[in-house]
Amino acid sequence: MQEGVVQIQERARAKKLETYPDLKTVDTTPVRVTLHDCLACSGCITSAETVMLEQQSVDEFMKQVSSEDKAVIVSISPQSRASLACYYGITPLQALKKLTTFFKSLGVKAVFDTSCSRDMSLIESCEEFIKMYKAQGKTNCFPLLASSCPGWVCYAEKTLDPYILPHISSVKSPQQTMGAIIKRFASFNMGLRVDQIHHVTVMPCYDKKLEASRDDFLFSIEEGNEEAGAGKFTEVDCVLTSGEMLELLQAKCSDFTLLDESPIDRMLTNVDETGHLYGSRGGSGGYAECIFRHAARELFNKELPSHLEFRTLRNSDFKELTLEVEGEVVLRFACCYGFRNIQNLVRKVKSGKCQYQFVEIMACPSGCLNGGGQIKPKKGQSGKDLIQSLETAYLNEVDVSDPFENPIIKGLYDFWLGYPGSEKSIQIMHTGYHTRERSVTAQLSNW
Ligand code: SF4
């Protein structure tokens, strides 16, 4: 079977014909489904039987890591780090250090942390929001909708009218931002050509595999810099989920908890001088809170307290945050997780009744810590208990910090991109969205 292609075979068609005998006259050529048809609904994409993602697999990772021609670089998400830490009963910092030992023993060149690139995504998002607010006024163009969840972006492109796409933030997700940093800048500091790098990420969901394979994230080397490598490149070559990472550890290492703890690769990892991890709040990236704080400071000269109280609305996956100045609500943001809440929200956007200026939208109920690629609860552990443990592990060991103060990101702006929202930042750290034809649906309607 061709890579990345699902074939609906005789069995499924026969069942349909039996159920609906009047459909016998229809063309019964098997329908071909590609990754471009995926709605990221988690229905089939999580099933190893139906999707052949050979480029995005443990086997491919092992093939690349044993290739002499490739330098493999791994970027680990904080959600995956928390998932592995909870599974093994260690801290996220220990998990990161042991993962560094593990990967380096296989021949991986460097192990980074996407909390670092997330700080750049957050800064670019803050800048984008302020620009939009200043250009359009308080209510004209809103809401701006977060773009870091590929499940939500894919749903918007495939099933919603084009009215929704201009609302989606153009900022790349932390995964793609890390890819852009590594392949378009850091590689040169590491003495590597782009075509020598195989960039692998460890992520909490399968949808990140789809994100990495989007054509929008292909790039060519800038003119005049051809010695860096020729051709078109992807920012991320392979995505492994937290669960796949666990399978790899179980296959290759008899007891992960007994591995030594290696020094962390500091070049693109949020670890401070004293060895503490730092980053933003929020198991899904903390977009709403970070932009809210920044907007309060920049637009209303308000420094907000370290803890902000979100107000729960219909359910725990729909919360809002407001800022009042002289009795008037001047900022109204929301976090909206899970498709049930998303559908309600987009209806309001369409009818012009959405009162939010920014919404952090995530496809998974409870957000990324509960992603479909995370390690499943242990026997006897409820899903709720697991999320609680993940949140505790995730939040307790990371010192909360302002992304604008991240010295690594400051360096990247100083030496490479200029400043947040610069022409170069827009070119490299932002992307676009497109209405995608629902080819499968169109074909299925003929059944
Ligand atoms: S909310 Fe779920 S689908 Fe979206 S990025 Fe997070 S884990 Fe992936």
Side-chain angles (χ1 to χ4, degrees):
M1 185 184 292
Q2 191 190 325
E3 182 180 290
V5 170
V6 182
Q7 287 181 319
I8 297 177
Q9 311 221 350
E10 282 300 315
R11 196 162 51 110
R13 195 172 73 242
K15 187 162 178 260
K16 277 276 176 198
L17 293 176
E18 193 184 302
T19 317
Y20 306 103
D22 52 320
L23 293 180
K24 272 182 185 163
T25 52
V26 174
D27 173 11
T28 55
T29 312
V31 175
R32 292 176 65 77
V33 185
T34 74
L35 277 181
H36 290 290
D37 295 306
C38 175
L39 278 176
C41 64
S42 292
C44 70
I45 197 70
T46 53
S47 164
E49 290 170 356
T50 51
V51 175
M52 305 293 283
L53 282 167
E54 289 177 5
Q55 291 282 338
Q56 310 256 357
S57 65
V58 169
D59 287 349
E60 179 65 17
F61 165 74
M62 288 308 296
K63 195 170 115 196
Q64 295 293 338
V65 94
S66 36
S67 155
E68 301 249 308
D69 308 334
K70 291 286 180 187
V72 177
I73 295 177
V74 178
S75 302
I76 302 172
S77 68
Q79 293 86 359
S80 299
R81 193 173 64 199
S83 186
L84 288 158
C86 281
Y87 181 84
Y88 284 110
I90 55 178
T91 67
L93 181 60
Q94 286 176 313
L96 182 58
K97 289 178 169 178
K98 286 177 189 292
L99 283 168
T100 304
T101 305
F102 172 74
F103 279 125
K104 297 229 168 147
S105 74
L106 297 178
V108 166
K109 185 160 180 72
V111 180
F112 299 132
D113 158 29
T114 59
S115 304
C116 180
S117 54
R118 184 174 66 190
D119 281 347
M120 183 174 272
S121 300
L122 287 168
I123 291 172
E124 288 295 320
S125 301
C126 287
E127 190 61 30
E128 181 184 38
F129 180 84
I130 298 292
K131 258 190 205 159
M132 202 169 186
Y133 190 101
K134 286 185 175 167
Q136 306 282 338
K138 205 162 64 177
T139 53
N140 276 353
C141 64
F142 292 111
L144 181 64
L145 307 173
S147 60
S148 65
C149 170
W152 143 244
V153 169
C154 191
Y155 169 72
E157 288 184 326
K158 293 245 171 86
T159 65
L160 302 177
D161 293 342
Y163 73 89
I164 206 79
L165 300 187
H167 287 275
I168 301 179
S169 162
S170 64
V171 177
K172 286 183 184 175
S173 71
Q175 168 173 278
Q176 297 307 133
T177 299
M178 185 59 112
I181 294 171
I182 287 174
K183 293 223 179 167
R184 302 176 79 159
F185 183 74
S187 54
F188 311 123
N189 288 357
M190 298 167 89
L192 294 167
R193 291 195 320 271
V194 182
D195 57 4
Q196 291 176 307
I197 294 180
H198 187 77
H199 180 212
V200 180
T201 61
V202 183
M203 288 284 145
C205 67
Y206 290 84
D207 295 349
K208 287 286 173 188
K209 296 180 189 246
L210 298 172
E211 180 180 68
S213 63
R214 284 172 72 94
D215 293 344
D216 305 80
F217 299 135
L218 289 172
F219 68 95
S220 313
I221 292 297
E222 292 90 353
E223 228 175 283
N225 197 13
E226 288 80 6
E227 75 278 7
K232 286 222 165 206
F233 304 99
T234 50
E235 293 170 343
V236 177
D237 299 290
C238 173
V239 179
L240 301 180
T241 63
S242 314
E244 287 169 331
M245 190 61 229
L246 176 65
E247 282 169 26
L248 179 63
L249 289 172
Q250 288 172 334
K252 298 280 173 198
C253 142
S254 56
D255 189 345
F256 178 67
T257 60
L258 296 180
L259 286 186
D260 290 340
E261 293 176 13
S262 290
I264 287 172
D265 288 322
R266 304 176 74 100
M267 190 167 92
L268 292 171
T269 299
N270 282 0
V271 61
D272 66 16
E273 295 302 323
T274 59
H276 284 102
L277 295 170
Y278 63 89
S280 64
R281 287 181 187 81
S284 300
Y287 281 78
E289 182 168 339
C290 177
I291 300 170
F292 190 83
R293 279 180 191 284
H294 185 72
R297 189 183 305 128
E298 292 293 307
L299 301 170
F300 303 102
N301 207 20
K302 296 262 176 215
E303 276 306 328
L304 301 180
S306 60
H307 177 74
L308 297 181
E309 200 61 45
F310 280 81
R311 194 161 66 93
T312 301
L313 300 174
R314 291 157 190 257
N315 51 62
S316 60
D317 277 330
F318 202 153
K319 298 178 183 173
E320 72 169 24
L321 195 54
T322 53
L323 177 71
E324 282 190 28
V325 175
E326 293 171 2
E328 188 199 356
V329 174
V330 290
L331 291 177
R332 194 185 290 274
F333 282 29
C335 288
C336 172
Y337 297 172
F339 279 108
R340 189 169 48 124
N341 287 325
I342 292 174
Q343 281 167 345
N344 286 329
L345 182 92
V346 294
R347 264 197 292 274
K348 289 204 167 158
V349 175
K350 190 171 186 183
S351 63
K353 289 187 182 150
C354 176
Q355 47 184 342
Y356 300 110
Q357 294 146 333
F358 179 85
V359 188
E360 179 181 303
I361 299 190
M362 296 288 155
C364 296
S366 303
C368 295
L369 286 171
N370 187 34
Q374 293 284 69
I375 299 168
K376 304 294 171 233
K378 288 182 180 165
K379 212 170 168 203
Q381 184 181 35
S382 69
K384 208 171 155 196
D385 286 349
L386 177 59
I387 291 173
Q388 188 64 53
S389 315
L390 288 169
E391 277 171 2
T392 306
Y394 184 87
L395 294 174
N396 284 1
E397 215 198 353
V398 175
D399 293 338
V400 175
S401 69
D402 179 353
F404 285 84
E405 296 304 319
N406 185 328
I408 303 169
I409 302 302
K410 276 184 180 176
L412 287 168
Y413 279 117
D414 288 348
F415 294 107
W416 181 35
L417 296 172
Y419 52 88
S422 69
E423 201 179 313
K424 198 163 184 178
S425 297
I426 301 285
Q427 184 204 336
I428 296 176
M429 296 305 171
H430 291 239
T431 184
Y433 311 101
H434 329 274
T435 309
R436 293 188 191 270
E437 202 182 323
R438 299 173 67 190
S439 56
V440 175
T441 314
Q443 290 187 60
L444 291 179
S445 69
N446 291 329
W447 280 28

